[in-house]
Amino acid sequence: MKKILVIGSSNMDFRIRVHQLPKPGETLLSQSLENIPGGKGGNQAYAVGKLGGDGVFLSAVGMDAFGETLIESMCSSGIDASCMRRCLDCPTGNAMVFVSDAGENQIVVTSGANFCCDLPYLKQHAALFHDCKILLIQMEIPLESVLYALQAAKTCGNCTILNPAPVPEKFPEEIFPLLDYITPNETELVKLAGSDLNPDSLDDVRTGCSRLLQKGVQNVLVTLRKRGAFLCNRQTERQFLPPEGPALDTTAAGDTFNGAFAVMLANGRSPEEAICFANAAATISVSRKGAQSSIPSFQEVLQFQASL
């Protein structure tokens, strides 16, 4: 199995349950409030570990109780968290996650110590780019760190996977040729490929994918929620419908998908096999509440696929 390097954010999620998502200016009473380990980087790293991947996580948290909890959670997944940074001057990042009865969510992130996942920290662990063969990264850390990591990974001949969330206002064009896979959801695809696109139209999704391929990306893998995932490259395009299942909470569904996809590539599976496995893992995750708490194990996914 190839080793996976995950670089990204760590947040403590404040999960707020509401009947419906708030509208602008609206005040709602919540049904419950829970603290659950999260952050896009943390969720994807946790998924890599929980799903049996051989991985290491680079991320930064504060010298506070939340930071300690996040590190403990990460270690429990099986991923190597020994290189995670503790920042004295910044609190651990957090996210306010509103979840409706329909399972939809709205998320607002306060970065905090995630800004400490900076160039000096990544350069301190430059040897990991040689040790690992797959890089999985997102965009909740400084943009210069994302660019450096992708450049370092490609220099070492590694497979690069970017989950472009959140999409920055000005996305650096030099990132696109560094990507073996980019994994936006439909909203992120519109931000990256053109506001003229209708994300509900599969033809427009194809158009958006084509535009990103022209920018130098090797493979575009769009997550489409209930419509599954859409893979597009210069040889083929294909929609992968997900298994049916209840949707209790969509938080971390995309992160589960990305972690599962990376693990299966590391296991030597084809991209098509990896997507089917990732779809199944994400379907399980949305049937459970929370972020990292919703991510299934490798055996759970295999059993679920066998039952279909």
Side-chain angles (χ1 to χ4, degrees):
M1 179 189 296
K2 296 177 181 178
K3 195 167 186 177
I4 302 168
L5 173 59
V6 185
I7 302 176
S9 59
S10 292
N11 295 324
M12 179 58 74
D13 287 354
F14 293 80
R15 183 179 181 274
I16 303 167
R17 189 83 197 195
V18 291
H19 287 300
Q20 60 188 25
L21 297 177
K23 300 174 183 176
E26 184 178 18
T27 299
L28 299 176
L29 295 178
S30 72
Q31 299 165 261
S32 63
L33 169 64
E34 298 176 275
N35 288 345
I36 301 175
K40 283 198 166 293
N43 294 342
Q44 293 180 23
Y46 189 96
V48 167
K50 188 78 179 286
L51 291 163
D54 179 11
V56 60
F57 185 37
L58 294 182
S59 186
V61 296
M63 294 289 290
D64 48 35
F66 287 152
E68 191 66 35
T69 299
L70 293 181
I71 291 176
E72 290 174 359
S73 176
M74 200 57 54
C75 291
S76 73
S77 75
I79 200 165
D80 182 355
S82 62
C83 295
M84 288 182 66
R85 184 179 182 183
R86 301 297 300 272
C87 297
L88 183 63
D89 300 328
C90 293
T92 297
N94 63 71
M96 297 295 174
V97 183
F98 295 91
V99 183
S100 72
D101 289 344
E104 296 298 319
N105 64 58
Q106 289 177 343
I107 304 173
V108 179
V109 174
T110 302
S111 295
N114 290 308
F115 285 125
C116 298
C117 191
D118 53 19
L119 287 182
Y121 168 60
L122 296 186
K123 289 178 179 180
Q124 179 185 351
H125 298 285
L128 290 174
F129 292 99
H130 296 277
D131 297 339
C132 300
K133 300 305 178 186
I134 295 176
L135 171 68
L136 176 58
I137 193 167
Q138 322 76 34
M139 307 194 81
E140 286 184 335
I141 59 174
L143 194 52
E144 63 179 3
S145 297
V146 175
L147 181 57
Y148 167 80
L150 289 168
Q151 290 171 334
K154 290 311 293 181
T155 298
C156 295
N158 298 338
C159 174
T160 56
I161 306 171
L162 173 66
N163 179 221
V167 178
E169 256 185 60
K170 293 184 178 180
F171 191 93
E173 293 289 316
E174 63 264 38
I175 282 181
F176 290 116
L178 299 172
L179 303 179
D180 289 294
Y181 293 91
I182 189 168
T183 61
N185 61 25
E186 60 264 66
T187 302
E188 292 152 0
L189 179 67
V190 170
K191 290 183 178 179
L192 290 166
S195 58
D196 60 315
L197 300 175
N198 176 7
D200 295 327
S201 164
L202 199 59
D203 285 338
D204 278 16
V205 170
R206 289 189 181 93
T207 298
C209 290
S210 177
R211 291 176 183 177
L212 296 188
L213 292 176
Q214 290 171 13
K215 292 176 181 289
V217 180
Q218 295 301 307
N219 298 273
V220 184
L221 177 55
V222 187
T223 54
L224 299 170
R225 295 190 289 181
K226 293 180 180 180
R227 294 181 293 164
F230 188 81
L231 175 67
C232 185
N233 54 43
R234 289 167 182 81
Q235 289 75 44
T236 186
E237 60 179 44
R238 178 180 168 187
Q239 183 179 8
F240 295 78
L241 295 175
E244 292 186 6
L248 175 65
D249 183 354
T250 59
T251 308
D255 296 329
T256 301
F257 181 96
N258 277 275
F261 180 70
V263 167
M264 295 307 281
L265 289 184
N267 278 330
R269 302 298 181 88
S270 69
E272 292 77 14
E273 290 174 304
I275 294 169
C276 291
F277 182 86
N279 266 342
T283 298
I284 295 173
S285 77
V286 301
S287 71
R288 303 168 176 175
K289 68 179 183 180
Q292 293 172 21
S293 57
S294 73
I295 298 171
S297 68
F298 184 76
Q299 286 303 320
E300 284 178 308
V301 180
L302 291 184
Q303 290 170 7
F304 178 60
Q305 287 185 300
S307 70
L308 298 175

